[in-house]
Amino acid sequence: NNYQKIDTLILTHYDKDHIGCASEMISKYNVTTVIESQSKTPTVEYLKYHSTMAENGITPLKLTENYKFIYDSCEFEIDIPKQTKYSENRDNNLSLVISMKCGEKNFLFCADAAELRLDEIISQNQTDYDFIKSPYHGNYIENYEEFINSVKPEYVAITDSKKNTASIDMLAILYNKNIEVYETRYGEINVSTDGKQITITQK
């Protein structure tokens, strides 16, 4: 897409499929700010991108409380996990969850949040979201329907693949509620908004 610079790179958690290219992105796109979770997982990928940050004079912003910022009149809030340890799905439940408000439209990006993390979101949520990036690649989560009832999306995007497709049970929840669903197994998803309308294309 011919981008030359990334102002803020948010690393939601430390699974390889979420940080595997972080080092290359930091080097290539002149990243200004890196935001990461307070948890620490000293994997090869984690150590690699931390080494790259040091080489580029970047000190990551390691969140210990919720964090807000504004770009081009869009308001962002990063919600941190309420626990430092989880009894199940530890890495996924440590995901940072990002909300974005642009004009009249609200977006929610759930990383790989699993059941315990979704419970936290449900308990504190007071917003209807027009668009959400569904958690955990479309894998079925026990309280997923309760979560969807809480956030009430019109559009849902799922980052799955032809090899690892979204759960049929999870998709059924969305389709039964007449939610418009997009899956990356069918191609790249592009989402844009002018604050009044949301445009989604897939190729």
Side-chain angles (χ1 to χ4, degrees):
N1 291 313
N2 296 316
Y3 293 117
Q4 303 298 316
K5 180 178 174 59
I6 293 176
D7 297 295
T8 299
L9 176 63
I10 303 170
L11 300 173
T12 59
H13 61 300
Y14 302 127
D15 285 354
K16 182 178 180 179
D17 58 322
H18 288 259
I19 66 167
C21 289
S23 180
E24 288 77 3
M25 293 177 72
I26 290 166
S27 297
K28 184 174 181 179
Y29 293 107
N30 300 308
V31 175
T32 302
T33 302
V34 175
I35 298 176
E36 62 181 23
S37 173
Q38 62 178 317
S39 64
K40 182 178 180 181
T41 305
T43 61
V44 172
E45 293 81 13
Y46 178 92
L47 296 173
K48 182 179 179 181
Y49 88 77
H50 266 256
S51 175
T52 302
M53 283 194 293
E55 292 169 2
N56 287 271
I58 298 172
T59 300
L61 180 58
K62 189 178 286 289
L63 299 185
T64 57
E65 59 184 17
N66 288 3
Y67 182 76
K68 296 181 179 180
F69 59 95
I70 296 175
Y71 276 139
D72 294 336
S73 74
C74 290
E75 302 172 8
F76 295 79
E77 181 170 7
I78 303 177
D79 183 84
I80 67 167
K82 301 305 178 282
Q83 303 178 44
T84 55
K85 293 182 179 180
Y86 288 87
S87 58
E88 55 188 56
N89 277 316
R90 177 185 178 277
D91 289 341
N92 289 334
N93 277 315
L94 286 168
S95 291
L96 299 176
V97 172
I98 302 130
S99 60
M100 177 179 74
K101 180 176 179 59
C102 288
E104 301 170 2
K105 299 301 179 181
N106 294 303
F107 298 73
L108 186 66
F109 305 92
C110 299
D112 276 357
E115 183 175 354
L116 297 177
R117 189 75 174 96
L118 291 187
D119 276 340
E120 295 175 355
I121 297 170
I122 293 165
S123 67
Q124 68 189 21
N125 181 56
Q126 298 180 348
T127 303
D128 292 349
Y129 288 93
D130 301 279
F131 174 95
I132 71 167
K133 198 290 290 182
S134 198
Y136 199 15
H137 308 287
N139 289 295
Y140 183 74
I141 304 171
E142 190 70 28
N143 57 350
Y144 185 76
E145 184 165 13
E146 184 183 357
F147 164 71
I148 291 297
N149 289 339
S150 173
V151 298
K152 299 180 175 64
E154 182 177 355
Y155 308 100
V156 171
I158 301 169
T159 52
D160 60 356
S161 66
K162 292 179 180 178
K163 181 179 179 180
N164 297 297
T165 61
S167 159
I168 293 175
D169 291 336
M170 197 213 69
L171 290 172
I173 291 170
L174 299 174
Y175 286 124
N176 287 338
K177 297 180 184 298
N178 296 314
I179 295 169
E180 196 166 316
V181 179
Y182 295 84
E183 299 176 66
T184 52
R185 62 169 152 159
Y186 299 121
E188 178 183 299
I189 302 167
N190 292 280
V191 185
S192 61
T193 185
D194 61 2
K196 294 183 177 181
Q197 302 289 333
I198 293 176
T199 301
I200 302 176
T201 59
Q202 187 160 30
K203 61 181 180 179

